[in-house]
């Protein structure tokens, strides 16, 4: 050994020794002399340096978690080039097993790599039967590994560009049912960016042949350390019509000028070449066929090894296509890539001496050839974030399922057990079912990174600890099954919220230590009422101002020593309390315009109705707020009273007294035979109750309150069938009756809507009176406001008017009453109703007058009850009823409570 070589060698081994002492982790991917190398001796028990190759081989620890280590039977592999083939890793289990290799570069994973997988069977399993299996690079097919004979040492090599977005290289062995896959070694060599294809194309090149032209020695090929990139240069066995030549006899190599040489083909390779003597045409040809390979590219390496008087010039043809005319300078290497070309039969290269310089003509030469085909790597791997989240999940639970190898989604017949993916080009994980997977420990944080999940099933495991709130942040999650574990702590509010919003199917059964709420948190989170409203935006501020104005006016009006700070009487409930009250939104008892209504029970056992504001309706939320504000201060025995409310900015709930007998519409439309039909008396009572409620809103409140959405659905009955008006969602206070500014948005329900609203665009007290008239008609007839028939729907008024004009009271009144009503009081009711539904608002009576009339009506009824009910049912004759003369004559003052 010469001095410098010896010194280098010493330094190398010194470094290697130091490295061996270093912690295992540092060794990964770090070859002291070769920073761009990762050399994995698969199945090896210990890392070791290879003296001959000056390469440090690691074990495959940390690169793979499956397979078993095996050793070939041959002895004497020693330190030679085959040393890394002595051990191997075989994969008797699973369809796909993958090595995962972090790239060596720190440049965010981006880089160009030579990746080489090597296989030596050598009857390691004493079966004397070579397997055949597939190799994948990531999610794309690379090649099929097959062995000409049991002793063949097979190498598969690609040049692969890792795009900046990928974080690891995966090499997978896929069992095709033709024997157990195995691998002897896996080597990565980082290449210079300027080598081979320009990296903006990110192609992957599979090596077909790499030949050191003119080198026929019977020794093994050149590789590291001759080649600083550790390419394998095979001896020349190519068909050619040239003669071998060597400019270098192996004594002292000349020094090449590598100034512009990116490829760094070793001098040992360039030093031998092929040329022609008799003719000035040199040709090379291959018969090449690789299934699936259609695009090819070759790299022709030249270096002038003779000090000629004039440069060697010649033209290169590839399959008869002109490539380039080149001129070689002494000891200056040159690499000529061909264009990509298509062939499925073979190649012919021709080098033709340049005739222009024929005077001093020298024949063409070729020093080395590389031939590659392009791999189709168009299948995209799963979204990287999802891949990382799945890796994290696999680690967190030590999932050893054999299918959990390689990419979680693609190729689709290798999708991991329990995983479902979208079909887009870079798939997302949409469903994960780890039911009965034996999972132990906490719910892994990495699961919350699977942001495309729609379904997550972790049921029937042994999971402990809390439910991460982050699960509620998964935007598309609509199934979450956590049942049958041993989870503890509260169910996060946000998940509960999604559940009652109908956005999440949440199952938590069978977790004995789960709580609904965290009472410690409860007290801290109770928020004041006013602050979130102001913070919520200007729209709400307006509502709030109105509400505060009402409160203020009420205090002034009512006075009576209550001046001073406005104190809201009902304390707000937290969302957790709402959860508790409703027993986790167990029973839906109705659905309003703004959300569902749930049955609830207060701590003292009182049943309540909990009305939730669905999160989607922004408009509804303002109204909700307004309603809460109003109901806080408006109390009347014929108005549904507010027990409390919840307003924690995210969740809005109103807690009402429970009206066990539902709404009036139900009672009027219930056709079931055992339904208890409302008697005429009850109907009268209800009209009076409702009129009293409305009268209080219109005339008891200063400023008056217009309901704006009065209908039978909003008239609720308690256990004694006392009627109360509900749903102040559309209520608004107004200062002056004709102030149109208060009616800024459409309101009301078709069938109940003041016909003048269309023209005036404003709603006033008389609009409520119109609605009330429609309700009266419904009570009388039993029909809904819009009567549906085969020919479409007809307004109750249009249906009733001709019958009324005929004076046919029996055809008007609800047949379910079976004639059990007083005709006089029925006519009176009809009159009142018709006065309320007059088209012109000014002609409609004030509700106080209506109330007075209804009370009269009550008097008639109770009087007639004492006489024979059916006696005078035909006393009114046809036509005696004149609508035009029917205005209720009323000067009475608003009904005083
Ligand atoms: C190589 O050896 C041959 C024969 O021994 C000799 O003719 C030739 O000059 C040598 N070339 C060089 C570059 O030393
Ligand atoms: C060499 O190749 C050129 C171009 O293909 C051709 O024109 C010429 O005839 C060939 N010469 C010989 C001697 O084959
Ligand atoms: C090449 O040969 C010429 C003379 O023929 C000589 O002057 C020159 O130094 C040689 N070049 C090299 C690099 O040996
Ligand atoms: C993971 O599972 C394997 C095989 O079941 C076991 O050998 C290993 O100890 C487990 N590791 C952890 C961290 O639980
Ligand atoms: C693991 O995956 C296989 C399919 O590869 C499946 O049949 C099996 O049920 C899974 N094992 C467990 C424990 O879920
Ligand atoms: C996977 O699918 C490909 C093509 O769709 C098929 O050739 C291959 O045999 C399948 N592999 C397995 C293990 O099912
Ligand atoms: C998860 O798989 C189990 C059976 O393995 C099945 O019963 C359950 O319905 C699946 N869960 C979902 C959400 O599909
Ligand atoms: C979730 O993803 C983010 C961003 O990709 C990452 O920073 C974080 O570490 C991941 N969390 C877990 C628990 O994997
Ligand atoms: C569930 O966890 C609690 C502690 O959090 C423990 O006391 C209990 O034994 C566990 N139950 C089961 C069935 O594992």
């Amino acid at each position: 050994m010469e001095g410098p070589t010896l010194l280098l060698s010493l330094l190398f081994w010194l470094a290697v020794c130091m490295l061996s002492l270093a912690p295992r982790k540092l060794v990964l991917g770090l070859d002291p002399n070769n920073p761009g190398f990762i050399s994995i001796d698969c199945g090896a028990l210990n890392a070791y340096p290879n003296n001959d190759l000056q390469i440090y081989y690691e074990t495959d620890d940390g690169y793979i978690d499956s397979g078993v280590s095996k050793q070939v039977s041959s002895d004497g592999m020693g330190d030679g080039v085959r040393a890394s083939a002595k051990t191997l890793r075989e994969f008797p289990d699973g369809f796909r097993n993958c090595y995962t290799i972090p790239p060596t570069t720190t440049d965010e994973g981006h880089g160009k790599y030579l990746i080489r997988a090597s296989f030596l069977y050598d009857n390691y399993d004493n079966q004397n039967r070579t397997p055949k299996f597939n190799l994948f690079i990531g999610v794309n097919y690379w090649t099929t590994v097959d062995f000409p004979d049991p002793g063949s040492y097979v190498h598969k090599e690609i040049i692969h560009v890792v795009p900046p977005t990928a974080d690891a290289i995966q090499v997978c062995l896929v069992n095709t049912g033709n024997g157990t896959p195995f691998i002897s070694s896996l080597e990565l060599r980082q290449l210079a960016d300027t080598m081979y294809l320009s990296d903006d194309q990110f192609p992957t090149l599979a090596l077909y042949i790499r030949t050191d032209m003119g080198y026929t020695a019977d020794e093994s090929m050149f590789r590291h350390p001759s080649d600083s990139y550790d390419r394998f240069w095979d001896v020349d066995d190519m068909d050619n019509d040239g003669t071998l030549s060597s400019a270098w006899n192996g004594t002292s190599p000349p020094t090449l000028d590598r100034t512009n040489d990116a490829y760094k083909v070793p001098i040992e390779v360039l030093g031998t070449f092929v040329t022609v003597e008799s003719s000035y045409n040199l040709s090379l040809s291959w018969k090449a066929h690789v299934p699936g390979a259609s695009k090819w590219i070759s790299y022709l390496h030249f270096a002038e090894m003779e000090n000629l008087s004039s440069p060697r010039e010649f033209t290169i043809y590839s399959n008869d296509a002109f490539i380039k005319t080149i001129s070689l300078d002494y000891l200056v290497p040159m690499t000529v890539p061909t264009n990509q070309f298509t062939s499925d039969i073979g190649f012919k290269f021709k080098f033709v001496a340049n005739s222009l310089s024929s005077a001093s003509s020298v024949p063409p030469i070729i020093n080395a050839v590389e031939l590659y085909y392009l791999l189709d790597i168009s299948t995209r791997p799963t979204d990287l974030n999802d891949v990382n989240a799945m890796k994290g999940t696999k680690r967190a639970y030590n999932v050893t399922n054999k299918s959990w190898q390689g990419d979680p989604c693609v190729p689709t017949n290798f999708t991991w057990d329990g995983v479902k993916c979208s079909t887009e080009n870079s798939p997302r994980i949409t469903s994960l079912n780890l039911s009965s997977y034996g999972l132990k420990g906490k719910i892994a944080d990495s699961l919350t990174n699977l942001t495309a999940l729609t379904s997550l099933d972790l049921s029937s495991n042994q999971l402990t600890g809390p439910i991460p709130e982050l699960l509620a942040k998964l935007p598309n999650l609509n199934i979450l099954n956590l049942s049958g574990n041993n989870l503890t702590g509260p169910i996060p509010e946000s998940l509960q919220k999604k559940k009652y919003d109908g956005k999440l199917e949440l199952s938590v059964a069978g977790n004995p230590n789960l709580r609904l709420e965290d009472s410690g948190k409860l007290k801290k989170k109770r928020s004041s009422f006013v602050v979130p409203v102001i913070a919520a935006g200007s729209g709400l501020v307006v509502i709030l101002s109105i509400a505060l104005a009402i409160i203020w006016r009420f205090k002034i009006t009512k006075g009576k020593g209550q001046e001073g700070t406005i104190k809201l009487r009902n304390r707000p409930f937290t969302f957790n309390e709402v959860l508790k009250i409703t027993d986790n939104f167990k029973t839906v008892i109705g659905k309003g315009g703004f959300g569902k209504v749930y049955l609830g029970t207060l701590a003292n056992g009182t049943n309540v109705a909990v009305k939730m504001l669905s999160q989607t309706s922004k408009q509804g939320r303002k109204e909700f707020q307004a309603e809460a504000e109003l109901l806080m201060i408006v109390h009347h025995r014929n108005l549904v009273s507010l027990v409390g409310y919840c307003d924690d900015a995210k969740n809005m709930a109103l807690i009402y007294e429970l009206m066990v007998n539902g709404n009036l519409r139900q009672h009027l439309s219930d056709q079931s035979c055992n339904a208890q039909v409302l008697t005429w008396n009850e109907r009268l009572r209800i009209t009076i109750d409702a009129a009293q409620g409305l009268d209080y809103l219109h005339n008891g409140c200063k400023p008056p309150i217009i309901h704006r959405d009065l209908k039978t659905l909003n008239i609720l009955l308690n256990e004694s069938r006392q009627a109360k008006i509900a749903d102040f969602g559309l209520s608004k206070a107004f200062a002056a009756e004709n102030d149109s500014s208060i009616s800024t948005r459409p309101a009301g329900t078709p069938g109940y809507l003041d016909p003048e609203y269309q023209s005036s665009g404003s709603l006033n007290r008389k609009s409520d009176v119109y609605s009330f008239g429609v309700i009266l008609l419904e009570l009388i007839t039993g029909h809904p406001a819009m009567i549906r028939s085969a020919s479409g729907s007809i307004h109750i008024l249009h249906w009733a008017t001709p019958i009324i004009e005929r004076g046919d009271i029996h055809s008007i009144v609800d047949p379910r009453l079976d004639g059990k009503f007083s005709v006089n009081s029925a006519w009176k009711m009809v009159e009142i109703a018709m006065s309320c539904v007059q088209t012109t608002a000014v002609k409609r009576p004030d509700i106080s007058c209506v109330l007075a009339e209804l009370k009269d009506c009550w008097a008639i009824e109770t009087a007639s009850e004492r006489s024979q009910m059916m006696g005078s049912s035909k006393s009114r004759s046809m036509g005696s009823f004149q609508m035009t003369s029917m205005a209720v004559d009323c000067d009475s003052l608003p009904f005083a409570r």
Side-chain angles (χ1 to χ4, degrees):
M1 238 185 241
E2 288 174 33
T5 324
L6 183 66
L7 185 62
L8 260 177
S9 190
L10 275 175
L11 280 174
F12 175 78
W13 292 121
L14 187 62
V16 165
C17 292
M18 287 169 68
L19 200 76
S20 313
L21 298 173
R24 179 75 184 87
K25 202 167 154 226
L26 287 178
V27 178
L28 274 183
L30 289 177
D31 187 335
N33 275 10
N34 311 301
F37 283 23
I38 294 177
S39 311
I40 302 167
D41 184 348
C42 305
L45 301 178
N46 298 297
Y48 62 91
N50 183 308
N51 295 349
D52 295 346
L53 301 178
Q54 296 187 18
I55 293 171
Y56 186 83
Y57 279 91
E58 327 170 29
T59 68
D60 54 12
D61 245 19
Y63 294 116
I64 191 143
D65 54 16
S66 57
V68 286
S69 171
K70 294 277 169 161
Q71 195 164 343
V72 296
S73 45
S74 312
D75 300 323
M77 295 187 113
D79 257 6
V81 281
R82 289 186 161 215
S84 60
K86 190 171 178 129
T87 57
L88 56 92
R89 181 169 293 275
E90 82 161 354
F91 300 97
D93 294 323
F95 283 124
R96 174 171 64 167
N97 288 276
C98 297
Y99 277 85
T100 303
I101 303 148
T104 54
T105 159
T106 53
D107 184 17
E108 290 170 347
H110 171 60
K112 189 179 284 178
Y113 294 86
L114 180 156
I115 303 171
R116 182 169 48 231
S118 302
F119 311 85
L120 178 64
Y121 171 66
D122 209 18
N123 200 19
Y124 77 88
D125 56 0
N126 293 319
Q127 302 290 309
N128 223 359
R129 199 164 55 228
T130 55
K132 185 175 165 185
F133 51 89
N134 286 347
L135 206 55
F136 273 65
I137 178 74
V139 298
N140 289 283
Y141 173 82
W142 169 356
T143 190
T144 297
V145 180
D146 200 359
F147 299 87
D149 63 75
S152 322
Y153 195 9
V154 173
H155 305 287
K156 298 292 181 184
E157 198 178 299
I158 52 171
I159 293 173
H160 182 61
V161 178
V162 179
T165 50
D167 79 337
I169 294 166
Q170 283 199 320
V171 174
C172 302
L173 293 90
V174 171
N175 192 325
T176 55
N178 299 301
T180 307
F182 75 90
I183 184 167
S184 303
S185 68
L186 189 56
E187 295 164 312
L188 271 80
R189 312 291 181 232
Q190 189 175 10
L191 304 174
D193 274 352
T194 46
M195 297 167 78
Y196 302 103
L197 283 179
S198 62
D199 60 358
D200 57 341
Q201 292 170 273
F202 298 146
T204 294
L205 301 178
L207 181 66
Y208 180 70
I209 198 163
R210 183 186 289 125
T211 295
D212 174 5
M213 299 299 296
Y215 181 74
T216 53
D218 215 11
E219 298 163 35
S220 54
M221 69 227 159
F222 288 110
R223 60 178 290 191
H224 198 259
S226 298
D227 188 326
S228 54
Y229 295 110
D230 195 25
R231 285 162 292 191
F232 287 6
W233 295 93
D234 281 322
V235 295
D236 178 11
D237 59 356
M238 214 169 264
D239 283 345
N240 70 75
D241 54 6
T243 55
L244 308 184
S245 187
S246 175
W248 166 44
N249 285 355
T251 48
S252 172
T255 307
L256 296 171
D257 174 5
R258 303 241 187 217
T259 318
N260 295 310
D261 176 27
Y263 288 84
K264 296 193 171 46
V265 178
I267 178 64
E268 291 88 336
V269 172
L270 290 178
T272 57
F273 55 91
V274 164
T275 185
V276 274
E277 276 161 1
S278 52
S279 146
Y280 288 93
N281 284 1
L282 168 63
S283 60
L284 306 175
S285 56
W286 291 271
K287 283 187 181 65
H289 177 69
V290 176
S294 61
K295 287 207 152 175
W296 297 74
I297 190 165
S298 61
Y299 295 87
L300 307 172
H301 303 286
F302 305 95
E304 182 57 70
M305 286 295 156
E306 291 178 51
N307 190 355
L308 301 169
S309 52
S310 61
R312 201 189 295 264
E313 284 186 4
F314 55 93
T315 302
I316 304 162
Y317 297 88
S318 155
N319 287 354
D320 294 327
F322 170 84
I323 301 294
K324 194 175 187 178
T325 294
I326 60 168
S327 168
L328 298 175
D329 292 327
Y330 184 44
L331 297 179
V332 180
M334 177 185 279
T335 295
V336 177
T338 62
N339 297 323
Q340 287 179 28
F341 55 88
T342 306
S343 173
D344 52 6
I345 42 151
F347 315 97
K348 201 169 106 197
F349 292 108
K350 210 158 153 192
F351 308 91
V352 178
N354 200 329
S355 56
L356 288 178
S357 57
S358 54
S360 54
S361 242
V362 278
I365 58 167
I366 174 74
N367 303 58
V369 173
E370 291 178 87
L371 188 55
Y372 297 89
Y373 58 92
L374 270 67
L375 274 190
D376 174 12
I377 51 157
S378 56
T379 303
R380 305 289 311 132
T382 303
D383 177 88
L384 189 57
N385 280 329
D386 284 2
V387 169
N388 288 335
M390 286 308 291
K391 279 191 205 154
T393 304
K394 182 178 171 180
R395 250 192 327 269
Y397 296 124
N398 194 17
V399 175
T400 53
N401 192 290
K402 287 162 191 133
S403 71
W404 283 42
Q405 285 280 328
D407 191 280
C409 295
V410 276
T412 48
N413 52 1
F414 297 122
T415 299
W416 292 8
D417 184 60
V419 172
K420 285 202 181 98
C421 306
S422 65
T423 54
E424 64 215 84
N425 195 6
S426 188
R428 301 295 312 268
I429 292 170
T430 55
S431 164
L432 184 58
N433 188 346
L434 301 183
S435 179
S436 305
Y437 242 71
L439 310 184
K440 291 195 178 97
K442 295 192 318 149
I443 292 179
D445 288 342
S446 49
L447 288 169
T448 63
N449 261 3
L450 291 167
T451 51
L453 273 189
T454 59
S455 166
L456 176 60
D457 191 340
L458 300 175
S459 62
S460 307
N461 286 296
Q462 292 141 56
L463 295 171
T464 52
I467 300 174
E469 189 147 14
L470 282 174
L471 285 175
K473 293 246 159 67
L474 296 177
N476 303 315
L477 191 69
N478 50 44
I479 296 176
L480 177 59
N481 191 347
L482 303 174
S483 58
N485 285 290
N486 194 6
L487 297 166
T488 50
I491 302 168
E493 246 182 73
S494 40
L495 282 173
Q496 298 280 359
K497 176 85 170 71
K498 282 188 118 178
K499 182 187 173 177
Y500 87 74
D501 279 349
K503 291 178 187 150
L504 181 67
E505 225 175 82
L506 174 67
S507 314
V508 293
N511 288 279
N513 299 314
L514 264 189
R515 274 175 292 132
L516 260 186
E517 59 180 277
D518 186 336
S519 51
K521 230 167 89 187
L522 202 98
K523 289 184 185 84
K524 267 181 270 155
K525 283 187 89 179
R526 185 160 298 148
S527 52
S528 79
F529 178 69
V530 174
V531 173
V533 174
I534 288 171
S538 56
L540 280 183
V541 173
V542 172
I543 303 279
L544 183 73
S545 318
I546 294 169
L548 286 178
I550 296 164
I551 294 166
W552 181 76
R553 287 203 198 197
F554 264 93
K555 295 302 164 187
I556 300 301
T557 321
K558 289 188 164 179
K560 298 189 180 97
Q562 284 183 30
E563 287 102 333
T565 53
I566 297 160
K567 257 203 149 179
L568 298 174
R569 187 162 44 183
N570 295 311
R571 80 176 170 84
F573 288 77
T574 64
F575 184 68
N576 273 322
E577 286 171 304
V578 172
L579 284 175
K580 200 175 187 181
I581 289 168
T582 58
D583 191 10
N584 198 17
F585 300 110
K586 199 166 151 199
T587 313
V588 178
I589 55 174
K591 194 164 184 337
F594 310 118
K596 285 184 182 154
V597 185
Y598 297 87
L599 178 66
T601 309
L602 297 181
N604 65 7
T606 312
N607 282 335
V608 288
V610 180
K611 182 171 162 187
M612 301 304 303
L613 172 68
S614 47
Q615 207 173 25
T616 46
S617 65
K618 266 206 177 107
Q619 196 69 39
R621 170 143 189 221
K622 291 179 188 174
E623 284 148 0
F624 208 70
Q625 189 87 44
E627 186 173 14
E629 285 294 289
L630 286 170
L631 281 179
M632 291 305 298
I633 48 170
V634 176
H635 287 283
H636 187 274
R637 66 195 140 94
N638 295 119
L639 298 175
V640 175
S641 63
L642 182 66
V643 179
Y645 66 92
C646 163
D647 172 43
D648 69 356
K650 270 187 307 188
N651 308 297
M652 306 274 296
L654 288 175
I655 299 158
Y656 291 102
E657 63 175 307
L658 183 69
M659 301 294 282
V660 293
N661 268 315
N663 66 59
L664 187 52
R665 185 69 254 154
Q666 291 170 333
H667 287 272
L668 292 175
S669 53
D670 193 345
Q671 298 295 339
S672 56
C673 46
N674 57 356
Q676 220 183 328
V677 178
L678 287 173
T679 66
W680 185 253
N681 251 356
E682 281 174 325
R683 294 179 198 219
L684 256 180
R685 227 7 293 163
I686 287 165
T687 61
I688 292 170
D689 284 340
Q692 282 177 167
L694 191 58
D695 181 45
Y696 178 71
L697 291 175
H698 284 185
N699 302 310
C701 297
K702 293 269 183 299
I705 295 167
I706 304 178
H707 189 292
R708 297 162 65 102
D709 195 20
L710 206 55
K711 51 188 172 184
T712 42
L713 276 170
N714 283 339
I715 294 178
L716 306 182
L717 304 181
N718 69 6
E719 61 287 345
S720 53
R721 294 197 175 185
Q722 183 187 24
K724 303 192 182 201
I725 296 175
D727 203 348
F728 289 73
L730 299 170
S731 292
K732 283 202 177 170
F734 60 101
E737 195 146 297
N738 294 322
D739 180 359
S740 62
S741 66
I742 56 136
S743 305
T744 47
R745 50 174 298 271
T749 303
Y752 296 93
L753 199 52
D754 180 357
E756 266 201 355
Y757 172 72
Q758 262 92 38
S759 51
S760 71
S762 76
L763 288 174
N764 51 39
R765 283 188 272 205
K766 294 294 175 69
S767 309
D768 279 353
V769 171
Y770 181 89
S771 307
F772 189 80
V774 174
I775 291 169
L776 287 185
L777 285 173
E778 286 183 73
L779 268 164
I780 296 164
T781 65
H783 287 297
M786 299 301 295
I787 302 169
R788 240 165 259 155
S789 71
S791 54
S793 67
I794 177 173
H795 193 267
I796 191 168
L797 183 56
H798 298 140
W799 173 83
T801 305
I803 310 174
I804 293 168
E805 282 171 353
R806 289 206 307 268
D808 184 0
I809 194 72
H810 285 278
S811 297
I812 288 287
V813 176
D814 190 347
R816 291 196 301 158
L817 283 170
D818 205 15
K820 297 196 186 89
F821 62 94
S822 139
V823 173
N824 285 337
S825 87
W827 272 121
K828 180 85 178 166
M829 273 274 267
V830 169
E831 282 169 18
I832 299 167
M834 296 310 280
S835 70
C836 291
V837 295
Q838 295 195 76
T839 315
T840 323
V842 290
K843 288 189 183 163
R844 296 174 208 148
D846 189 276
I847 190 65
S848 56
C849 299
V850 175
L851 178 59
E853 294 296 325
L854 286 170
K855 286 187 164 175
D856 276 1
C857 196
W858 177 254
I860 296 170
E861 180 61 26
T862 45
S864 75
E865 259 176 10
R866 283 176 233 120
S867 63
Q868 182 58 276
M869 266 204 319
M870 310 293 287
S872 56
S873 65
K874 288 186 178 91
S875 63
R876 290 234 185 190
S877 62
M878 264 216 259
S880 70
F881 176 78
Q882 287 289 312
M883 274 190 70
T884 47
S885 66
M886 209 206 62
V888 176
D889 181 22
C890 173
D891 297 312
S892 58
L893 290 167
F895 176 66
R897 295 173 59 235

